[in-house]
Amino acid sequence: MEESIHRLKDIDGEITLLIRSRSLLDWDQETYMPEKAIDERARQIALLERLIHERITSPETGELLAKLGVDEEHAPGPGVYTDIDAAFLRETSRRYDKAVRLPDSLVSEIALQASLAQARWAVARRESDFSLFAPHLSTLLTLIREKADCLGFRKDRYEPLLDEYEPWLKPEVLDEILEKLKPRLGALLNRITATGKTKTNNFLSREFPVEKQKAFGRFILEKMGFEFERGRLDTSAHPFTTALGSSDIRLTTRYNPRHFSTGCFGIIHECGHGLYDLGFSESLSGTLLENGTSLGIHESQSRLWENIVGRSLPFWQAFYPKLNELFPDVLADVDTDAFYRGINAVEPSLIRVEADEVTYNLHIILRYELERKLINEELAVEDLPDAWNRESRKLLGVSPGNDSEGVLQDIHWSFGAFGYFPTYTLGNLYSSQFYMTMKKETANLEEEVKKGNLIIIREWLKNRIHQHGRVHPAHELCRIVTGSPLDHEHFLTYLNEKYGALYGC
């Protein structure tokens, strides 16, 4: 038995190296690759993806799992293995059982078309012309539907796609969560709007030179405990984080000289992901357990840092003096309290990554409902821009003036990530529940933040969440950390208390 597990770990180690090599090509494509290199890069990625799939589905892996009596219906028994070995076998079996249902040719073709689509999306977004991207999206959707059919489902094709990003979560459970959130968020937004208080953040659209934004971003990353000897920060069309190794974590962001929040909060958000990737236990190094347990949990880390910490008054009481030092003329008439109110101004807007906390999840609901219809062939690609604009008016009360502000603003569909968007809302829910527990367990937490001590947060998250990697499924990790299952009421309480105080409603 022990010999079989060791052999599976050897195989997994090679798969991990291949996956990270492929990730390096992805990262380079989004940061430094010359534009005309895309065709060859797409073939390189497709080849690596096929090799990864072949390694995951090797007959030897199937034989070893069968020898150990582990498959989709028979998880490792408690007490038979260590917690880490049991989790390793659970995740190895889960990956194998899914992968063997997918033909090598389909896996390779999805990777090829996704690389081409990403490059075309970037051009279409720059030109604000959905028609440039639409044929690639149609091709990808055909392939993703085929993938869902191969994986199998109970009710609709969206089920196995959601499971890829949020394991074990069923669409009907997600629907129940979102249906409970939607009216409560709408009610809070209506209360805020009824106060008649106007937007107070026009100063964020003043001229903030990019080089000084970069200096402030690096300052905040260092305060958060990001280790530059184990990672770096670069610029891309859409912010993202990728792990190229245990000590090679790449963050990216984008900057807008006339919108300070874009770069600043993008950096804080991505650092939340990066700290998670840097915080895994060394005992998980080089294995498939050296990952976030779900994207909902991963997003909880970025959303906790970006919003609950990064948009808090104690955070800016600590770091606004540094910002003022970098931009003395720009912020001469803005004090700390005014800045705090400004970065938390609530107003329905077009761009998801720049949305306030109250309206953000309405952006996610819009994307979730549209992508589910696309996957289930209830919405045609050519009708997507109009559907987007219509639903934006319905949910947010605003309509995009062009494709870049609307249907082309997010990169996710360009690389076939259908099922990803709901994890942002799940991340918001987990983040508030985790933070509530952190406050109970950490004396004078907000006073420490006010002093500039962010390491106290990083260490709590590392010890309670990060180090476990994928050992515990998301629902189980939530119970371990907070003592109860995921509950959306924590998030609604957080929003109502914070924005009730800000707007007096």
Side-chain angles (χ1 to χ4, degrees):
M1 184 171 70
E2 190 172 329
E3 183 180 339
S4 297
I5 293 175
H6 282 313
R7 179 57 189 147
L8 281 173
K9 288 181 178 179
D10 288 341
I11 295 171
D12 175 57
E14 294 177 356
I15 293 168
T16 298
L17 291 174
L18 285 169
I19 290 172
R20 288 172 172 172
S21 298
R22 183 245 153 97
S23 296
L24 178 57
L25 294 181
D26 288 333
W27 173 84
D28 179 69
Q29 179 175 326
E30 294 304 311
T31 52
Y32 295 110
M33 186 192 78
E35 189 172 326
K36 290 188 176 181
I38 182 57
D39 289 337
E40 184 174 359
R41 175 57 49 83
R43 293 196 301 274
Q44 292 167 348
I45 289 174
L47 173 60
L48 268 175
E49 195 65 28
R50 178 172 61 79
L51 293 174
I52 291 166
H53 186 256
E54 288 174 354
R55 203 73 186 101
I56 289 172
T57 59
S58 70
E60 183 182 9
T61 296
E63 291 165 5
L64 289 167
L65 288 169
K67 184 177 180 180
L68 292 164
V70 178
D71 59 29
E72 192 173 16
E73 296 180 357
H74 301 90
V80 179
Y81 305 101
T82 66
D83 287 348
I84 290 178
D85 282 349
F88 172 78
L89 291 174
R90 181 195 70 225
E91 293 299 321
T92 300
S93 175
R94 176 181 166 82
R95 181 173 67 181
Y96 174 82
D97 290 336
K98 287 178 176 295
V100 292
R101 301 174 193 175
L102 303 175
D104 290 347
S105 58
L106 176 61
V107 171
S108 179
E109 186 64 17
I110 289 174
L112 175 68
Q113 295 301 330
S115 292
L116 296 172
Q118 277 180 264
R120 200 57 180 163
W121 165 82
V123 174
R125 185 177 184 275
R126 187 168 63 242
E127 300 294 326
S128 194
D129 186 351
F130 179 73
S131 68
L132 300 176
F133 174 59
H136 292 273
L137 180 58
S138 295
T139 298
L140 264 180
L141 275 166
T142 298
L143 294 169
I144 297 298
R145 291 185 193 116
E146 184 180 348
K147 175 182 176 180
D149 290 343
C150 290
L151 290 171
F153 49 85
R154 298 171 304 120
K155 293 186 177 180
D156 68 55
R157 284 182 174 134
Y158 196 78
E159 182 180 329
L161 305 179
L162 176 63
D163 186 76
E164 186 172 348
Y165 299 102
E166 198 63 26
W168 293 286
L169 180 67
K170 302 302 180 187
E172 57 265 30
V173 176
L174 176 62
D175 286 339
E176 184 179 350
I177 292 170
L178 296 180
E179 285 305 312
K180 288 177 179 177
L181 276 179
K182 193 190 301 187
R184 303 273 292 278
L185 292 172
L188 175 57
L189 179 59
N190 289 338
R191 291 202 306 275
I192 291 171
T193 303
T195 66
K197 293 183 178 179
T198 57
K199 187 172 70 170
T200 57
N201 62 358
N202 290 335
F203 59 83
L204 293 173
S205 297
R206 295 172 181 172
E207 189 72 29
F208 288 85
V210 168
E211 287 307 310
K212 290 186 177 182
Q213 288 192 51
K214 289 181 178 180
F216 184 72
R218 186 178 179 95
F219 168 77
I220 292 298
L221 286 177
E222 290 171 347
K223 290 294 183 179
M224 290 173 67
F226 186 75
E227 303 170 58
F228 279 97
E229 65 272 22
R230 299 178 64 198
R232 56 181 291 136
L233 173 67
D234 292 277
T235 305
S236 63
H238 191 100
F240 69 94
T241 297
T242 191
L244 305 183
S246 301
S247 293
D248 190 356
I249 308 302
R250 309 292 176 94
L251 316 181
T252 75
T253 192
R254 62 187 178 201
Y255 302 94
N256 183 339
R258 297 305 298 266
H259 201 290
F260 171 77
S261 296
T262 299
C264 176
F265 292 106
I267 287 171
I268 296 172
H269 179 100
E270 296 306 329
C271 186
H273 285 303
L275 292 178
Y276 193 4
D277 290 333
L278 288 170
F280 302 129
S281 168
E282 289 186 9
S283 63
L284 311 179
S285 182
T287 75
L288 81 171
L289 296 178
E290 192 181 29
N291 280 291
T293 192
S294 78
L295 268 178
I297 297 296
H298 229 306
E299 289 300 333
S300 77
Q301 302 308 286
S302 57
R303 303 297 289 174
L304 186 153
W305 276 108
E306 176 191 357
N307 292 325
I308 300 179
V309 178
R311 294 182 191 272
S312 71
L313 183 56
F315 181 93
W316 289 104
Q317 287 171 328
F319 302 120
Y320 190 66
K322 177 65 175 180
L323 187 67
N324 223 319
E325 177 187 314
L326 286 166
F327 302 100
D329 297 331
V330 181
L331 297 172
D333 59 340
V334 182
D335 63 19
T336 305
D337 286 344
F339 186 83
Y340 169 67
R341 290 193 299 273
I343 61 172
N344 287 294
V346 174
E347 182 180 54
S349 59
L350 295 170
I351 307 301
R352 172 185 64 85
V353 297
E354 295 169 2
D356 59 79
E357 292 179 274
V358 176
T359 62
Y360 181 90
N361 293 292
L362 299 175
H363 285 266
I364 299 305
I365 290 169
L366 181 152
R367 288 152 176 78
Y368 165 63
E369 292 177 347
L370 290 178
E371 73 175 8
R372 196 165 177 183
K373 288 178 181 178
L374 285 170
I375 289 297
N376 288 311
E377 299 182 83
E378 297 167 2
L379 176 65
V381 167
E382 59 266 27
D383 297 327
L384 180 58
D386 286 342
W388 181 291
N389 296 347
R390 183 172 60 252
E391 290 305 307
S392 180
R393 284 193 298 271
K394 178 181 173 183
L395 285 168
L396 293 158
V398 294
S399 185
N402 56 61
D403 290 341
S404 290
E405 292 178 339
V407 70
L408 288 173
Q409 68 177 270
D410 295 300
I411 194 174
H412 304 62
W413 292 340
S414 75
F415 60 87
F418 293 88
Y420 190 126
F421 278 118
T423 66
Y424 289 112
T425 289
L426 293 169
N428 285 329
L429 303 187
Y430 279 122
S431 70
S432 55
Q433 194 160 333
F434 290 150
Y435 191 75
M436 175 203 70
T437 303
M438 190 193 310
K439 282 185 70 176
K440 287 180 180 178
E441 296 181 354
T442 308
N444 303 315
L445 176 62
E446 292 181 351
E447 283 299 314
E448 289 297 318
V449 172
K450 187 176 177 180
K451 296 175 187 174
N453 179 10
L454 302 182
I455 300 303
I456 194 171
I457 295 177
R458 186 198 68 177
E459 289 303 298
W460 189 92
L461 293 171
K462 180 178 179 181
N463 292 332
R464 300 301 304 279
I465 297 170
H466 300 172
Q467 68 164 324
H468 300 298
R470 194 168 280 186
V471 172
H472 307 292
H475 58 277
E476 182 180 311
L477 180 65
C478 185
R479 283 184 179 274
I480 292 171
V481 174
T482 71
S484 61
L486 180 64
D487 185 349
H488 65 281
E489 289 294 340
H490 296 294
F491 178 62
L492 291 169
T493 297
Y494 159 72
L495 286 184
N496 278 286
E497 289 181 353
K498 177 176 179 177
Y499 290 92
L502 277 165
Y503 281 88
C505 63

